[in-house]
Every structure is written in structure tokens, then in C-alpha cells.
């Protein structure tokens, strides 16, 4: 059998980051920036008010207090988005709203809370300092300043700053488009009653969701029965929108394991027995004229998910051009003893307590127990040479980053 590390190394050797693309701002959300982005304007672009209140000249309000308020006529209103008025003259003020341009001649903004809120005439009970509550032009970002560096992951706040400087498109490494196919004549679509010998398809939903969590765009394809021609036709139809394909089922030693039988004839997909539990039967290669990578994963749900975490997720991360490729691994004290098969790396469903730095196995070890998988937030990773984990042994724990 091939080792987990060797199989993963072969997979990653064939995976390259996707070529950069120029995308609309919201389409670039969640992608990796591949260019430095500099502002072509000052931010703020003009002096503006930080408060609802009154734009004043300091000599007109010096010494204002509750006992001796300054009394000024209000000669205008400036709303956010208004054109800036020429200037305020000595002995006058204007009402101004948050974000509105500050008129020439104004030295500060008096918040409405420091006044009686007058409309034609206002009493000011407290004097501001020079420039108080005025956001000066360029004090946040100067034209020509680099606001985001190449290699930055574009989350919500990064998208916000790009919009603030007026960028509607940026060059990024796009999200991989992942096509997910479940195979097997025993599978039934959700919403239909499963008959004798049939089961509902869970793998395609689980794997599509996992691909999205890894940073990809996922397309779930309907169930493909154990029919070689239909499988080939489905894959050919999907290649136009795929950067990577995932199938589940049909890769072991059975007489009707269609995926293995069909893709083996293409000469580009290899099938191996990998020294891991669960997930021993693995297939990987490329298909189509564009050499689209394809992973053929086992059909048992836990085997499929473990395989995704160990092999597919790092490949998606490589395509995105982001680090780290792998889930974080920590050490923890195991609260329960269990055995492990000799010569295989075992991935045991577990619950990790970060505060106590402990982990405990969750449920049984069988590869069809998806209910137990849903209750786990980690995998206990047992090396190939270890056959028994004792209570209180320190073990490696792969975190699945679930709450």
C-alpha cells in the first residue's frame, strides 16, 4: 500500500494555483489578491463633518458655556452629499450633517448635543477646539498609498476599503470550481422515498459543502448510476465548468465499481490502496483536454469525508494560492483507550476540548457512521506503527474548526 504522505505528495505535485483573473468586486470576495492596490484619491476626499451639529468659527464661540451660551444665526443647512457652500461669515453658523462637506471658514463642528438644536438661531453651550469633529481630507488614506498588498485574502473589510477608494474590479486568484458527483445505482435523490436496498445520497451534499468551506465554488451533479457510458457522458458535460472534479463511490474491488473500471481506461487516473483508515481506496488523475484534476473517493460517507480533508482540501487550497494548505494539528491528552490497525494511519472521530487540551473519541470507528461524524470537531490521528492508544496518552489532533 502507498503511504498517506506519498499519495498527498503526488496529488500536490500535479496541482497548481489558478491563473489570476480580473473580477468585479463582489465576485472577488473570498479570493486572494494578486496585485498591490493603491488609492487614486485621498480618503476622505474632502473635509467633512464627523457629527450632526453646527459648523462654526472659533472666535464666535470662544468661552461658550451653559451660563453664557453663544447665540448665532443659522444661515443654512448642509446635508451629506450637498455641494459645499462658499464660506460662513463671522458671527454666523450653518447646520451640518454627518459626512457633509465642511464649508470654508469653519474651524470646528459643534455637536447638536452641545446646543439647544435651534433651526434659525442656535444657543451653543460649549466651545469646541480647533478642528474638532472635522475629518480632514487625506487623513485616512493619501492618493498613491498602497492600501492592500498582493497576497491579501479579500474578506468583507478588505472589500469595503476597495470600494471606499472607488475600485470596482481587482485582479485575484479565483475560487476553484469544483464539480461533485455521487455514483451508485443504490442512491436516491432527496425528496424521494428510498425503496428496498436504496439509500439517500448524502456524499454529494457533504462534499459540495466541504468544498465551499475550503474556499471553492461547488456544483453538485445529480446521481449517476453504475453505468459506464452515463458516467463518461456526465463527466464530459461537466468539464466545461470544472477546475476540479470529485466523485464518490465505485473505487474499491467490487464487481460493479464503475468509476474505477471506467476511468482506468482513460490512462490518466490511477487507483491505489493508501495505508489509511478509513479511506483506503483512492483514485487521482486528470481528465479531458484541459487535464482537469479528478479525485475518486470511497463511497462510505466517513471514508469520503476523511479523504476530502486529507487530500482534496489541500488541493483546493493550493489552487487558491493560500496557506496553510492543511488543517491545524495540535497535541492533546486522550481521555479514552482504543485500538488502531497496524500499518495504517487511522483518523478517529473525536471531540477536542481546547481549554482542557483533551480529546475523546466520538462514536464507533465504522466508515458508514455519518451521525458520529457530525458530532466530531476533530480527528485523532494515530500513526501507522501505533496499534493501541491508552487513556491519557498524548495524541495528534487534526482540528476541523467547528464550534
Amino acid at each position: 500500500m502507498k503511504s498517506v504522505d506519498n499519495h498527498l505528495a503526488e496529488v500536490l505535485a500535479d496541482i497548481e494555483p489558478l491563473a489570476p483573473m480580473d473580477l468585479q468586486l463582489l465576485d472577488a470576495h473570498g479570493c486572494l489578491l494578486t496585485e498591490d492596490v493603491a488609492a487614486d484619491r485621498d480618503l476622505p476626499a474632502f473635509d467633512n463633518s464627523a457629527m450632526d451639529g453646527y459648523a462654526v468659527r472659533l472666535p464666535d464661540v470662544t468661552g461658550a458655556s451653559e451660563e453664557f451660551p453663544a447665540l448665532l444665526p443659522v444661515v443654512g443647512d448642509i446635508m451629506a452629499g450637498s455641494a459645499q457652500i462658499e464660506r460662513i461669515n463671522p458671527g454666523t453658523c450653518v447646520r451640518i450633517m454627518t459626512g457633509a462637506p465642511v464649508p470654508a471658514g469653519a474651524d470646528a463642528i459643534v455637536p447638536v448635543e452641545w446646543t439647544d438644536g435651534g433651526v434659525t438661531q442656535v444657543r451653543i453651550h460649549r466651545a469646541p477646539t480647533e478642528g474638532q469633529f472635522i475629518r480632514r481630507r487625506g487623513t485616512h488614506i493619501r492618493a498613491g498609498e498602497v492600501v492592500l498588498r498582493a497576497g491579501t485574502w479579500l474578506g468583507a473589510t478588505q472589500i469595503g476599503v476597495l470600494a471606499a477608494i472607488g475600485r470596482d474590479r481587482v485582479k485575484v486568484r479565483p475560487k476553484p470550481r469544483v464539480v461533485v458527483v455521487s455514483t451508485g445505482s443504490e442512491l436516491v435523490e432527496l425528496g424521494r422515498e428510498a425503496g428496498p436496498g436504496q439509500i439517500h445520497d448524502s456524499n454529494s451534499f457533504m462534499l459540495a459543502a466541504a468544498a465551499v468551506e475550503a474556499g471553492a465554488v461547488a456544483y453538485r451533479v445529480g446521481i449517476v448510476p453504475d453505468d459506464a457510458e452515463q458516467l463518461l457522458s456526465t463527466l464530459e458535460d461537466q468539464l466545461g465548468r470544472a477546475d476540479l472534479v470529485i466523485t464518490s463511490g465505485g473505487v474499491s474491488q467490487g464487481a460493479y465499481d464503475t468509476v474505477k473500471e471506467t476511468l482506468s481506461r482513460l490512462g490518466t487516473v490511477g487507483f491505489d490502496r493508501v495505508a489509511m483508515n478509513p479511506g483506503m481506496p483512492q483514485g487521482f488523475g486528470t481528465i479531458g483536454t484541459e487535464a482537469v484534476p479528478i479525485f475518486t473517493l470511497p463511497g462510505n460517507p466517513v471514508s469520503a469525508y476523511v479523504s476530502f480533508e486529507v487530500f482534496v482540501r489541500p488541493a483546493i487550497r493550493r489552487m487558491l494560492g493560500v496557506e496553510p494548505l492543511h488543517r491545524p494539528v495540535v497535541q492533546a491528552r486522550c481521555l479514552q483507550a482504543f485500538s488502531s490497525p497496524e500499518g495504517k494511519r487511522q483518523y478517529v472521530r473525536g471531540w477536542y476540548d481546547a481549554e482542557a487540551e483533551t480529546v475523546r473519541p466520538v462514536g464507533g470507528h465504522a466508515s458508514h457512521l455519518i451521525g458520529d461524524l457530525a458530532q466530531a470537531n476533530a480527528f485523532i490521528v494515530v500513526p501507522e506503527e501505533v496499534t493501541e492508544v491508552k487513556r491519557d496518552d498524548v495524541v495528534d489532533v487534526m482540528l476541523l474548526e467547528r464550534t
Side-chain angles (χ1 to χ4, degrees):
M1 288 188 289
K2 184 192 294 185
S3 73
V4 171
D5 293 336
N6 284 345
H7 188 67
L8 179 59
E10 290 180 9
V11 165
L12 294 179
D14 283 347
I15 301 291
E16 297 289 340
L18 297 180
M21 294 178 63
D22 190 56
L23 295 182
Q24 292 275 1
L25 203 53
L26 283 180
D27 292 335
H29 179 230
C31 297
L32 197 74
L33 191 64
T34 58
E35 60 176 344
D36 289 348
V37 176
D40 62 358
R41 66 199 69 191
D42 290 336
L43 198 66
F46 51 88
D47 292 354
N48 69 87
S49 177
M51 303 287 285
D52 291 339
Y54 299 84
V56 299
R57 294 163 52 92
L58 285 185
D60 298 329
V61 294
T62 300
S65 66
E66 291 286 346
E67 186 177 2
F68 300 106
L71 184 63
L72 295 175
V74 180
V75 297
D77 290 326
I78 308 178
M79 307 292 291
S82 299
Q84 184 170 319
I85 63 173
E86 288 297 322
R87 104 173 9 252
I88 58 172
N89 296 316
T92 67
C93 69
V94 296
R95 276 203 314 173
I96 192 167
M97 304 302 136
T98 302
V102 175
D107 300 313
I109 305 298
V110 175
V112 69
E113 293 84 359
W114 297 2
T115 75
D116 66 354
V119 176
T120 59
Q121 181 176 263
V122 62
R123 291 180 181 274
I124 297 171
H125 307 125
R126 180 176 171 184
T129 58
E130 174 72 32
Q132 193 168 10
F133 302 119
I134 294 178
R135 302 167 179 152
R136 295 296 184 187
R137 174 176 180 167
T139 51
H140 179 35
I141 295 171
R142 286 288 186 186
E145 179 182 344
V146 174
V147 296
L148 292 176
R149 296 285 181 185
T152 300
W153 181 81
L154 297 182
T157 55
Q158 290 76 29
I159 293 294
V161 74
L162 290 170
I165 64 170
R167 285 291 293 263
D168 64 336
R169 304 185 70 90
V170 285
K171 187 172 288 187
V172 297
R173 207 172 299 285
K175 297 179 182 180
R177 299 164 301 166
V178 176
V179 168
V180 181
V181 182
S182 276
T183 68
S185 297
E186 77 280 11
L187 300 178
V188 178
E189 291 284 2
L190 300 186
R192 292 181 52 194
E193 192 69 29
Q198 294 182 320
I199 59 173
H200 284 111
D201 170 34
S202 60
N203 280 0
S204 64
F205 290 94
M206 176 178 64
L207 294 172
V212 171
E213 289 177 0
V217 176
Y219 303 106
R220 178 193 170 269
V221 179
I223 297 165
V224 177
D226 294 318
D227 180 280
E229 295 307 315
Q230 188 168 341
L231 175 61
L232 281 175
S233 175
T234 299
L235 292 177
E236 288 172 357
D237 287 344
Q238 296 298 320
L239 287 179
R241 64 171 179 174
D243 297 307
L244 184 149
V245 176
I246 305 172
T247 69
S248 66
V251 294
S252 59
Q253 304 295 320
Y256 300 101
D257 288 330
T258 308
V259 172
K260 185 174 181 179
E261 175 189 343
T262 304
L263 297 183
S264 293
R265 293 182 295 183
L266 299 181
T268 57
V269 183
F271 295 89
D272 294 288
R273 296 169 70 240
V274 177
M276 63 188 292
N277 182 46
M280 182 177 66
Q282 296 289 331
F284 174 75
T286 60
I287 56 175
T289 57
E290 299 298 319
V292 175
I294 182 170
F295 288 88
T296 64
L297 307 184
N300 278 317
V302 181
S303 298
Y305 186 74
V306 170
S307 301
F308 179 93
E309 287 292 335
V310 176
F311 302 120
V312 186
R313 189 177 189 276
I316 291 174
R317 303 282 291 174
R318 171 66 59 80
M319 287 181 159
L320 283 165
V322 297
E323 295 285 349
L325 298 182
H326 308 285
R327 294 284 198 186
V329 175
V330 299
Q331 289 195 316
R333 182 170 56 87
C334 191
L335 299 179
Q336 181 181 324
F338 60 89
S339 60
S340 185
E342 184 177 3
K344 292 184 179 180
R345 186 177 302 178
Q346 189 176 21
Y347 295 86
V348 177
R349 284 142 278 181
W351 183 263
Y352 172 69
D353 184 331
E355 185 175 347
E357 296 184 340
T358 60
V359 68
R360 58 176 175 80
V362 172
H365 292 183
S367 58
H368 67 288
L369 301 177
I370 192 171
D372 294 339
L373 178 62
Q375 303 305 315
N377 69 350
F379 289 134
I380 304 170
V381 184
V382 185
E384 292 83 345
E385 68 276 8
V386 175
T387 59
E388 184 180 3
V389 173
K390 299 177 182 178
R391 179 182 173 89
D392 292 331
D393 277 355
V394 175
V395 293
D396 288 336
V397 180
M398 177 193 293
L399 305 182
L400 299 179
E401 299 174 359
R402 299 174 185 168
T403 56

